[in-house]
Amino acid sequence: MQPALEHQEEKDSQKEEEEAPPHELTEEEKQQILHSEEFVTFFDHSSRIVERALSEQVDVFFDYSGRDLQDKEGRHLSRLVTYPELLVASYSSNEDAPHEPDGVALVWNMKYKKTTPEYVFHCQSAVMSAAFAQFHPNLVVGGTYSGQIVLWDNRSNKRTPVQRTPLSASAHTHPVYCVNVVGTQNAHNLISISTDGKMCSWSLDMLPHLELVFKQSKSVAVTSMSFPLGDVNNFVVGSEDGSVYTACRHGSKAGISEMFEGHHGPITGLDCHTAAGPVDFSHLFVTSSFDWTVKLWSTKNNKPLYSFEDNSDYVYDVMWSPTHPALFACVDGVGHLDLWNLNNETEVPTASVTVEGNPALNRVRWAHSGREVAVGDSEGQVHIYDVGEQISVPRQDEWTRLRTLSKIQLNEVLQLWALKHIYSFSCSKSQCRGRTSGRLFACVDGVGHLDLWNLNNETEVQKSPRNII
Amino acid sequence: MLQAEVEETIKRIQSQKGVQGIIIVNAEGIPIKSTLDNSSTVQYAGNVHQLLMKARGMVRDIDPQNDLTFLRVRSKKNEIMIAPDKDYFLIVIQNPTE
C-alpha cells in the first residue's frame, strides 16, 4: 500500500512544481512570507545563532606552518608574521620517560586551552635555550648542552632538527644558554654564547645551512645575554661570577668592554629595557641573581642604580614588560612571581602571586602584548597568567614619570638607606664618611627633616621638611 | 522579534566584517531574500538545499530521534553557515580570516 501512495504523492508534488513558476516566487509572495509570523520566529532564532558564530574570534583551522598559503606552483609565499600566541619552551629530560631524547622543545598555543603542544621537537642533547627565529616564523632555534645549535622547522614533518651546527672547536664546545636573532629583515644574525664565554654569530641566509660568521672568546661564564632595543652591535651579558659585562660585536674594540659589579652570586637573568616610548630608556637593564636580589642598572653607570630586595630565595629570571616602561616581572625558587612597577613603588612588588605547591620558577616571559606572563617551573609546567589592565597597560605619563625616577635614583638610594638606619645615623661627618660610598649622605632627625650633605664642600645641599614614616 | 527588526538584522549581519552574503530560502529551496546577485543566489540556494537534505537525512538515519540544527561548511576561501528550520533556512557566507 505504501509505495503506491508515495508514488502518487510524488506525482502530485511534481505537478505542483510544474504548475508553480520554476524556482521563483513573485515579489508579492516573498513579501507575504517575510511578513508572516512563522518566518519571524524562524529568523529570530537563526539570526541569533549566526550572529554569535560570526563574532567568534578563534580560527581553529589556522596552519602555523603556512602550507595553506602555498600557491599553485607549490612555492611558499613569504610571510613576515609573528604569532604572539605561540610560546616555545625547552625542558630538561623527563625522569619518567628515560627512553625519550634528552633534548625537548615544545611549542604551545596560548589561544586555546588544549593540553597538548602545537609542535614537539626533539634533539640528542638537552636544550638549554630556545627561541623562535625572528624573521623566520617557521623556525625554532635551540642552544644545547653539547654546544650545538639546532634548528627545527614546523614545515618538516620531523621532530628532529633540520639543521645542526658542527660539534667542533670552531663552534661551541660548552653549553649554550643564550641564543638570540638580532638585526633587520635584510641583515640579521643568530648570536649564541656558551658558558666558556665564546660568542658565535651565525648567518641564517644560507638556510638550511647555518654559516659561522664570527666568533670571539673571553673567559666569562655567560649565563644570560641581552641586546638593548635597536642595537645590533652592543650587548650586555651576565655571568656566573656575579658580574655584568658590556660588549660589542664589531669594531676595533670588539669583545668585552666594561665590567659592572654588584651582585654577590651568579647572575641568572638579564634583560634590557624594551618598552619604546617618548623617552629612551634603552640604557636601562635589570638583572636577577642567586643573591636573592634583582638590580636595576644603566649602561652608563658601573654600579647598580637600585636593588630590589623583597625575595628570600634565588631569583631565577627577570624580564621587562614589552609595553610598560616601568614594569618588570621576576620569579624565584619558592614559587613567587612578582611584578614590580617602578612608578608605583620601589620597595615591594606591585603584584605578586605564588604558584601552588611552591615549585622553583625557572623562567619568566612576557607575551608580546604585555598582557600575559608565562612562567616555567621545575616540575615541567608552564603557567600563563593574565595581567590586569590597571597594572599592565601604561598610561601616557609613565615614561616621563620613570625618567624623573631615574634622575633622582642615586639620591633615593641614600635616603632610603638612611631611613633604614634611622636611629644609628648621626650627623657627624667623620662617622658618616665611612658609611657612604658617594659624596652625598643623608640624615634624618626626629621632627621630620631629611638633610642632604655634600661631604666634599661640607655645606648643606638641601633641606626639605617632610613626613618620612 | 518584530517584523521591522528583520530588515535591520539582515543589514547588521551583512555589515559585519567578512560577511559576503546572506540568503533566506524556503523549504523547497526557493530564495526569498538575498544580498547577493541573482545567479549567485540561485546557485547557493540550490546547492545548499541539496546538502541540507543530505545532512538532515544522515542525522536522522544515524538516530531517528535526532535532527539537524546547524551546518557549517568551511572551505579554503570562506565559510558557509546554514541555520535550518522546518520551513526556511538562513545562509550566511563569510570569510573568517578577514
Side-chain angles (χ1 to χ4, degrees):
Chain A
M1 279 294 276
Q2 272 195 346
L5 263 174
E6 275 176 343
H7 192 64
Q8 188 61 36
E9 272 172 353
E10 257 185 306
K11 272 196 181 161
D12 285 343
S13 65
Q14 263 180 355
K15 257 193 184 172
E16 267 179 67
E17 266 186 63
E18 282 163 351
E19 281 167 22
H23 305 297
E24 255 188 64
L25 296 168
T26 64
E27 201 50 48
E28 217 178 66
E29 283 167 322
K30 285 183 189 176
Q31 284 303 318
Q32 210 173 21
I33 293 171
L34 288 171
H35 283 78
S36 67
E37 201 187 301
E38 55 180 21
F39 173 80
V40 175
T41 311
F42 147 75
F43 192 75
D44 181 34
H45 171 75
S46 56
S47 63
R48 204 179 285 266
I49 299 173
V50 156
E51 283 201 276
R52 285 182 204 149
L54 283 171
S55 68
E56 276 175 358
Q57 302 282 345
V58 289
D59 181 10
V60 298
F61 301 94
F62 194 80
D63 183 2
Y64 291 102
S65 72
R67 276 192 222 105
D68 56 346
L69 291 184
Q70 269 180 299
D71 67 9
K72 291 200 195 93
E73 281 90 61
R75 290 173 302 194
H76 279 280
L77 302 172
S78 75
R79 286 173 313 153
L80 304 172
V81 288
T82 52
Y83 301 117
E85 67 270 23
L86 294 185
L87 169 80
V88 64
S90 59
Y91 296 76
S92 54
S93 54
N94 187 350
E95 282 157 17
D96 296 331
H99 300 293
E100 273 182 21
D102 282 342
V104 176
L106 303 179
V107 178
W108 297 93
N109 192 331
M110 295 192 286
K111 253 205 227 177
Y112 307 104
K113 293 195 169 63
K114 63 174 195 168
T115 53
T116 49
E118 285 284 340
Y119 297 99
V120 176
F121 296 126
H122 287 150
C123 73
Q124 294 290 63
S125 173
V127 183
M128 313 312 293
S129 49
F132 283 106
Q134 210 188 358
F135 312 117
H136 300 269
N138 297 102
L139 304 181
V140 174
V141 184
T144 68
Y145 194 76
S146 64
Q148 261 190 330
I149 312 292
V150 293
L151 217 58
W152 290 283
D153 191 330
N154 71 358
R155 290 168 295 197
S156 76
N157 287 316
K158 306 186 297 176
R159 290 185 169 187
T160 47
V162 294
Q163 181 61 216
R164 289 180 195 80
T165 58
L167 261 177
S168 75
S170 59
H172 294 291
T173 51
H174 279 69
V176 176
Y177 278 92
C178 320
V179 284
N180 208 355
V181 175
V182 292
T184 59
Q185 173 67 34
N186 296 322
H188 54 267
N189 289 106
L190 170 66
I191 310 292
S192 58
I193 302 190
S194 49
T195 53
D196 61 350
K198 187 184 278 186
M199 185 200 87
C200 292
S201 174
W202 307 87
S203 166
L204 289 167
D205 290 335
M206 296 289 290
L207 286 169
H209 299 290
L210 270 178
E211 209 179 281
L212 180 57
V213 170
F214 177 73
K215 69 172 185 211
Q216 65 195 187
S217 284
K218 221 46 168 217
S219 42
V220 172
V222 173
T223 56
S224 42
M225 159 183 84
S226 183
F227 278 79
L229 188 65
D231 209 325
V232 297
N233 185 32
N234 302 295
F235 59 99
V236 193
V237 295
S239 85
E240 270 176 24
D241 64 14
S243 306
V244 175
Y245 298 89
T246 52
C248 63
R249 289 167 58 198
H250 308 297
S252 53
K253 290 189 187 157
I256 300 284
S257 320
E258 278 175 78
M259 179 165 113
F260 296 4
E261 286 175 314
H263 276 294
H264 304 296
I267 292 181
T268 50
L270 187 154
D271 192 37
C272 290
H273 195 273
T274 42
V279 183
D280 177 28
F281 290 117
S282 58
H283 59 99
L284 292 182
F285 62 96
V286 280
T287 51
S288 61
S289 162
F290 274 15
D291 71 358
W292 296 13
T293 69
V294 170
K295 296 195 196 300
L296 171 70
W297 311 71
S298 164
T299 50
K300 303 173 189 170
N301 288 43
N302 61 359
K303 289 275 172 263
L305 291 182
Y306 204 79
S307 184
F308 303 95
E309 304 189 357
D310 191 63
N311 293 86
S312 44
D313 201 274
Y314 295 171
V315 187
Y316 279 105
D317 199 12
V318 65
M319 185 176 174
W320 288 102
S321 157
T323 53
H324 192 308
L327 188 63
F328 65 85
C330 65
V331 289
D332 70 16
V334 287
H336 294 137
L337 162 63
D338 297 322
L339 296 183
W340 294 78
N341 181 339
L342 300 178
N343 282 343
N344 192 20
E345 171 68 72
T346 50
E347 277 293 278
V348 289
T350 291
S352 189
V353 71
T354 306
V355 175
E356 212 181 292
N358 299 73
L361 305 177
N362 300 320
R363 272 262 172 270
V364 67
R365 280 284 169 272
W366 285 88
H368 288 279
S369 60
R371 301 293 305 271
E372 288 168 317
V373 172
V375 168
D377 72 20
S378 53
E379 310 286 305
Q381 297 208 305
V382 177
H383 309 270
I384 315 285
Y385 289 91
D386 267 322
V387 183
E389 258 184 60
Q390 70 277 19
I391 299 175
S392 60
V393 179
R395 295 193 298 266
Q396 296 281 53
D397 63 351
E398 304 284 5
W399 281 263
T400 43
R401 282 172 69 194
L402 185 62
R403 179 175 53 189
T404 321
L405 194 76
S406 300
K407 280 197 181 136
I408 61 171
Q409 207 61 57
L410 281 168
N411 287 348
E412 281 227 1
V413 170
L414 289 166
Q415 284 168 19
L416 284 158
W417 182 63
L419 288 169
K420 281 174 186 157
H421 298 275
I422 195 168
Y423 299 109
S424 62
F425 216 122
S426 84
C427 282
S428 153
K429 296 187 195 83
S430 56
Q431 240 178 310
C432 297
R433 199 168 283 151
R435 290 190 192 193
T436 61
S437 53
R439 288 169 292 128
L440 290 175
F441 75 87
C443 59
V444 294
D445 64 23
V447 290
H449 286 148
L450 176 64
D451 301 313
L452 287 174
W453 292 81
N454 185 323
L455 286 175
N456 282 358
N457 48 17
E458 294 181 11
T459 51
E460 221 170 58
V461 172
Q462 232 174 70
K463 208 170 200 170
S464 48
R466 49 188 231 199
N467 289 329
I468 296 154
I469 294 171
Chain B
M1 188 183 263
L2 301 171
Q3 210 293 315
E5 289 174 17
V6 169
E7 198 57 49
E8 222 177 272
T9 306
I10 293 174
K11 283 207 182 83
R12 188 174 62 236
I13 294 175
Q14 176 65 34
S15 64
Q16 275 199 42
K17 200 167 102 154
V19 173
Q20 290 168 352
I22 306 166
I23 308 169
I24 300 169
V25 189
N26 74 0
E28 276 101 53
I30 303 170
I32 300 167
K33 188 143 177 80
S34 173
T35 60
L36 296 171
D37 62 272
N38 204 37
S39 58
S40 306
T41 302
V42 166
Q43 203 175 21
Y44 270 109
N47 277 296
V48 169
H49 185 237
Q50 283 184 51
L51 183 64
L52 204 54
M53 294 301 118
K54 207 73 187 159
R56 191 177 264 157
M58 174 191 85
V59 172
R60 283 189 178 158
D61 189 48
I62 293 169
D63 179 0
Q65 310 270 308
N66 205 356
D67 196 6
L68 181 72
T69 53
F70 201 77
L71 193 60
R72 281 173 99 151
V73 179
R74 182 66 190 263
S75 66
K76 274 193 205 164
K77 295 187 181 169
N78 57 19
E79 179 172 30
I80 304 166
M81 291 190 276
I82 305 148
D85 177 88
K86 66 177 174 57
D87 300 311
Y88 312 98
F89 50 99
L90 171 68
I91 306 170
V92 175
I93 305 135
Q94 67 145 349
N95 183 349
T97 56
E98 221 175 84

